Amino acid sequence: MQRLSRHGRLWSAAQHGRTVYSLHAAQRMGARRLSTQAHEAIREDDVQLRDAFDLPTQTTLGSSWFHKGRPTGLLMESRFVSPTSFRQAGKEAVVEAESLVARVLNASTATERRQIVKCLDQLSDALCRVMDVAELVRQVHPDSSWQTAAENVYGEMLEFMNGLNTHVGLYTKLVDAMDDPSISKVFSDVEHEVARSFRRDFERSGIHLAASAHARFVELSSRIHDRSRTFLRSQGLAPAGTVQVPVDQLHTLPASVVSEMLQTHAVRTHDGVAVVDVVPDDWAAQYVLRDCEDSKVRETVYCAWQRGASSAVQSLEGLLEDRLALARTVGFESFAHMTLDDKMARTPDHVDEFLRGLAVQARPRWDAVAQGLARDPRAIRPWDRDYYVGRQQAKMGALPQLAEYFSIGRVVMGLSRVFERLYGVTLRATVPQPGEIWHSDVRKLEAVDEDGHLLGVVYCDVFARSSKAHVGAAHFTARCARRVDDDVGRAVCDSTVVERDGMRFQLP
């Protein structure tokens, strides 16, 4: 499975093994009849899973969840025990990558050429196992020394990886191996797919361009990365200024909310009218959008909320311009065309057609809702949505407070049950080792199959805190599943490796 370009092509190939590995569990789908004892065992695990999130101090996990002791390594990686060792891991990864590059470039015998795809996969994994963790650490780790180390490691390794993504020698060796039937005929299905992925991404990285165009491609890629980072950081900035909401327009808000607003927000007189200053993206603004009867007030608050910080707008505009230039450098009409070229949708027109089709299907239901509110559907504006949803709920009966039924623990427990029924995979809460997680709020879950075999580990950092970067909901793949017992010139021996059917796999 490929990602959107953060590190580029080499990142995507390292993940290919994860897709194949996970199919092992999916292939067991079908009708299963569990015994009463199995149901009881699953239910006990489910309860422990739920309580790990909802009642952490009352479970057997609570007292030792973030216990102290000699650190065994962040994310079970013995190389990641401190910011210093993390920096060293980055340097060692580059050394390993350089050795693999040399092995590919010097491949001459049939045996060496058959190993080219495996070497490229190892090369990708060696770099991404550090870079992916660096990306995670700099976003969520509460310790500034770890964040600084991660920033340094990421920056240094990104420059090295960008050079590999446009390395003509690696590309030539790969193409020669793929186009030689005596070599490619012994490739497994996985190796063929990985090889095609590498080749496609090499060519989409402008490797075939003239020197000047290639230099332009590299420059734009670097600038896009920097502007993306700047834009993401600016998302945490509140819109400049406040919105003045007349106090007499608050009478339709819940009395407790109005009381809280008047105590916590600045109240003053403007043109003879008492107004309260509301920050566009805070809780008070959300109540105004939902309950204030005055459409103009709602519009003012909504537009201020959507406007965003000027620095974010500037970063976004520059990012869009550079993405367009990058796409046209490699022969695409737009960045959307370039991104979708190897995806299921294929073209922006297909995406547009799909979305318009959904809108057509949804239109009758929306018209019925609008008519129930005695409104022209075309007259309902974006800032009216929350207000009229509230009115509709009041008319039809208020919905129950679903949050008390769908706590985080219950949601995770429900997901585990769905995974079990579909794929025979369940989640179970477990206690991390000292130094394995970065904050006491993090929950460690193991994914296991029907036979109790460990398939992988999920770390859930779902609770808000000030030390997190403002990136919204996010998913990081810190380590991918891949076979390692047939690696070239490397033996991986640590807690991130498991044995299956006489083979050894890296745990995702």
Side-chain angles (χ1 to χ4, degrees):
M1 183 176 70
Q2 296 188 6
R3 299 189 193 184
L4 297 179
S5 54
R6 277 194 191 166
H7 304 329
R9 169 189 43 71
L10 285 174
W11 190 337
S12 65
Q15 299 195 79
H16 187 80
R18 177 179 60 177
T19 304
V20 176
Y21 185 41
S22 63
L23 287 176
H24 178 71
Q27 288 168 348
R28 300 188 189 184
M29 287 178 61
R32 288 184 294 269
R33 297 295 182 264
L34 300 177
S35 66
T36 303
Q37 291 82 1
H39 273 296
E40 289 300 323
I42 291 174
R43 193 155 70 184
E44 290 175 5
D45 285 345
D46 283 350
V47 170
Q48 188 175 54
L49 178 63
R50 180 198 65 195
D51 291 350
F53 289 88
D54 293 349
L55 303 169
T57 60
Q58 299 180 32
T59 67
T60 56
L61 299 174
S63 60
S64 57
W65 189 263
F66 197 59
H67 54 283
K68 303 295 182 180
R70 184 177 180 180
T72 57
L74 195 66
L75 305 176
M76 299 194 298
E77 289 273 7
S78 57
R79 302 175 295 168
F80 305 156
V81 297
S82 69
T84 300
S85 70
F86 190 64
R87 291 190 183 95
Q88 182 62 30
K91 294 176 182 178
E92 291 172 356
V94 171
V95 171
E96 181 182 356
E98 290 173 336
S99 175
L100 289 165
V101 169
R103 187 182 289 270
V104 172
L105 297 179
N106 294 325
S108 57
T109 68
T111 299
E112 290 171 340
R113 294 176 68 205
R114 291 188 192 109
Q115 293 176 335
I116 285 177
V117 175
K118 184 65 178 181
C119 285
L120 291 176
D121 183 56
Q122 277 183 240
L123 172 59
S124 175
D125 184 65
L127 297 174
C128 291
R129 280 186 69 175
V130 179
M131 290 187 71
D132 290 358
V133 176
E135 175 70 2
L136 169 67
V137 166
R138 66 181 186 171
Q139 300 287 353
V140 303
H141 206 292
D143 190 327
S144 60
S145 60
W146 270 97
Q147 291 178 2
T148 300
E151 289 281 358
N152 294 339
V153 167
Y154 189 91
E156 293 168 1
M157 295 186 69
L158 180 65
E159 183 177 354
F160 178 76
M161 181 172 275
N162 282 339
L164 297 181
N165 286 338
T166 54
H167 197 298
V168 176
L170 293 177
Y171 170 71
T172 302
K173 282 289 189 178
L174 173 65
V175 171
D176 288 347
M178 292 179 68
D179 293 347
D180 185 341
S182 68
I183 301 299
S184 60
K185 70 179 182 181
V186 299
F187 286 172
S188 67
D189 291 342
V190 172
E191 287 175 316
H192 275 296
E193 182 60 31
V194 172
R196 284 192 291 267
S197 176
F198 272 121
R199 182 171 183 170
R200 178 174 59 246
D201 290 333
F202 263 128
E203 292 170 352
R204 289 181 60 188
S205 295
I207 204 163
H208 58 290
L209 299 174
S212 59
H214 184 265
R216 172 68 170 161
F217 182 91
V218 173
E219 176 192 359
L220 286 168
S221 297
S222 178
R223 208 157 66 201
I224 286 171
H225 170 264
D226 292 341
R227 282 184 164 162
S228 297
R229 292 284 303 153
T230 301
F231 175 71
L232 288 174
R233 287 186 180 128
S234 65
Q235 292 305 287
L237 300 177
T242 59
V243 177
Q244 298 174 357
V245 178
V247 173
D248 61 4
Q249 294 292 342
L250 303 178
H251 68 278
T252 53
L253 276 64
S256 59
V257 172
V258 175
S259 176
E260 182 71 14
M261 286 178 63
L262 296 179
Q263 293 180 41
T264 59
H265 292 66
V267 180
R268 54 196 177 85
T269 301
H270 180 73
D271 293 337
V273 177
V275 297
V276 58
D277 290 334
V278 175
V279 178
D281 68 341
D282 78 355
W283 62 271
Q286 301 308 309
Y287 276 103
V288 172
L289 290 173
R290 193 191 72 176
D291 296 320
C292 180
E293 290 182 337
D294 192 308
S295 178
K296 287 296 184 182
V297 173
R298 297 199 304 271
E299 178 182 0
T300 301
V301 171
Y302 180 87
C303 291
W305 174 44
Q306 292 293 318
R307 189 171 297 117
S310 59
S311 59
V313 174
Q314 292 172 3
S315 297
L316 180 59
E317 290 176 343
L319 179 62
L320 294 175
E321 291 172 357
D322 285 345
R323 281 180 168 180
L324 176 61
L326 182 76
R328 290 182 173 173
T329 299
V330 291
F332 288 94
E333 180 181 341
S334 69
F335 186 76
H337 286 85
M338 184 177 79
T339 301
L340 295 171
D341 181 58
D342 62 344
K343 305 296 189 299
M344 184 175 65
R346 294 297 180 187
T347 69
D349 288 341
H350 289 161
V351 174
D352 183 71
E353 181 181 354
F354 174 72
L355 294 176
R356 290 183 183 279
L358 289 180
V360 169
Q361 294 180 34
R363 171 59 71 177
R365 296 182 64 184
W366 164 240
D367 288 347
V369 170
Q371 290 168 6
L373 297 168
R375 302 284 298 185
D376 181 349
R378 294 168 296 180
I380 298 180
R381 311 297 295 170
W383 48 85
D384 297 327
R385 185 195 63 180
D386 291 347
Y387 177 76
Y388 283 116
V389 166
R391 301 289 76 75
Q392 183 78 345
Q393 289 178 354
K395 178 179 179 180
M396 300 177 63
L399 292 175
Q401 292 296 320
L402 298 181
E404 62 186 85
Y405 300 100
F406 289 94
S407 65
I408 293 177
R410 286 182 177 274
V411 170
V412 175
M413 180 180 70
L415 287 173
S416 179
R417 288 175 172 173
V418 171
F419 298 154
E420 191 277 330
R421 290 186 175 95
L422 292 178
Y423 307 114
V425 175
T426 58
L427 300 175
R428 66 185 182 197
T430 187
V431 179
Q433 296 299 310
E436 184 180 346
I437 58 177
W438 52 94
H439 193 276
S440 58
D441 284 346
V442 179
R443 300 290 178 260
K444 179 184 178 181
L445 310 181
E446 293 180 339
V448 297
D449 66 14
E450 293 170 297
D451 299 321
H453 292 146
L454 181 61
L455 301 177
V457 178
V458 180
Y459 297 92
C460 299
D461 189 0
V462 297
F463 302 107
R465 63 175 181 274
S466 60
S467 60
K468 279 187 184 180
H470 296 281
V471 294
H475 164 251
F476 299 89
T477 301
R479 185 172 54 247
C480 299
R482 55 185 297 275
R483 185 179 174 183
V484 297
D485 59 288
D486 61 346
D487 276 357
V488 179
R490 178 176 71 164
V492 181
C493 299
D494 59 27
S495 58
T496 66
V497 173
V498 295
E499 291 194 14
R500 295 285 189 276
D501 302 323
M503 297 176 287
R504 304 180 76 232
F505 291 91
Q506 181 173 281
L507 278 174

